Amino acid sequence: SLPPAEGRPGGRSAAPGGGESGSGGGAEGGGGLDLAAAQRTPQLWLLAGGTLGLSMAGLPFLSVGKLMMSDLGSAAAAAAVAGGAATGAVGAAAATAAVAGYPQLISSANMGGRLLWGPIGDAAGCGRTLCLVGIALPACLLAGMPLATRALAGGADPETALTLFRAATCVNVGAYAGVPVLLAPATADLFGSADAAAIYQRIGATITFASPLGAAVCTRLRDGAYAQHAAALTELCDEATFAATFGAPPAALEQLLASKAVTLPLLLHIAPEGTPDPTPLLYDGAFCALGSCAALACACNAAAFALPRPYGGSRREICRR
């Protein structure tokens, strides 16, 4: 994070040329804008929107990522067992190990990203680096992860599909890790260092909201997809078999799902042979939504740095500070 303005009491700091920049002035100076003046610029709201969108695209994998991996791992284990007795046990064990090691893998990707993006931002500039982060996140969400889930649903090798998914989520989390690292120099770059700490804290507050918001999007879309796939499987099942298995007719599916009496694996047991398991596809809607947020966030960040600067000074020098 950036240090507060130094100088005289009240947060006022000396500006080049003998002027002053402080929290109450609102005027441009050599030290930059204060918080009140910054809040009147479109750059602050664009940067806040970009921070929110990128954080929504990355943080859910730290909070609900294990649930995603558990769903995919169970589907991969079932596919491995169905593939044959000789390799089924090995494939199921590999899927279980992948799920167990996923939290540590994601934590390592987060830490690695925090170490990596700082030097990249120093070399390339924080504006360009934020745009690079904004490109990496939607690429993983809209391409890499759906490719892995559809491959698993389509009968591809389960271990290969899980490896692809884990790689895509690691790149995604590693890219998100650059957001809090780059936000501080980006704030100083756009608004100057006079009141950079207060501006940084105001924009950084969006990260706090992004975590529950992104997790809510994932879980809500996952639950909706679960109900849709359960309804599709129920239509394939014989009504008498369904009623005998679950003690209620197919018309009561919604209540059975709410009570967890009906699950996708149980429906697959009574579905016609050869019915594909839809479990790997549960999160495709969430990936699309989060990827769209990340793409919009990338556009916001690019616009924030493309607009005329709200105060003068050397952008390159501030970004390298």
Side-chain angles (χ1 to χ4, degrees), residues 176-318:
Y176 154 72
V179 175
V181 172
L182 297 168
L183 181 58
T187 301
D189 186 16
L190 289 173
F191 306 107
S193 58
D195 210 9
I199 299 171
Y200 167 75
Q201 290 169 2
R202 182 62 54 88
I203 298 174
T206 59
I207 300 177
T208 304
F209 296 104
S211 181
L213 187 57
V217 169
C218 284
T219 53
R220 181 64 63 89
L221 291 177
R222 186 257 186 198
D223 291 344
Y226 198 99
Q228 290 177 359
H229 288 302
L233 288 176
T234 300
E235 292 180 359
L236 299 176
C237 298
D238 179 72
E239 291 188 12
T241 305
F242 184 97
T245 303
F246 301 112
L253 177 64
E254 185 175 349
Q255 292 78 12
L256 293 171
L257 284 173
S259 65
K260 307 296 183 183
V262 169
T263 63
L264 293 182
L266 291 176
L267 285 172
L268 285 170
H269 280 305
I270 63 172
E273 187 176 354
T275 302
D277 183 1
T279 302
L281 305 177
L282 290 177
Y283 294 96
D284 280 9
F287 297 153
C288 182
L290 296 181
S292 299
C293 286
L296 182 59
C298 181
C300 288
N301 287 331
F305 282 87
L307 289 173
R309 281 183 65 120
Y311 101 105
S314 172
R315 169 171 293 172
R316 191 68 174 175
E317 290 175 3
I318 294 173

Side-chain angles (χ1 to χ4, degrees), residues 103-125:
Q104 182 62 41
L105 185 68
I106 289 299
S107 297
S108 299
N110 185 31
M111 182 62 67
R114 289 176 182 270
L115 295 174
L116 179 66
W117 287 111
I120 294 177
D122 289 340

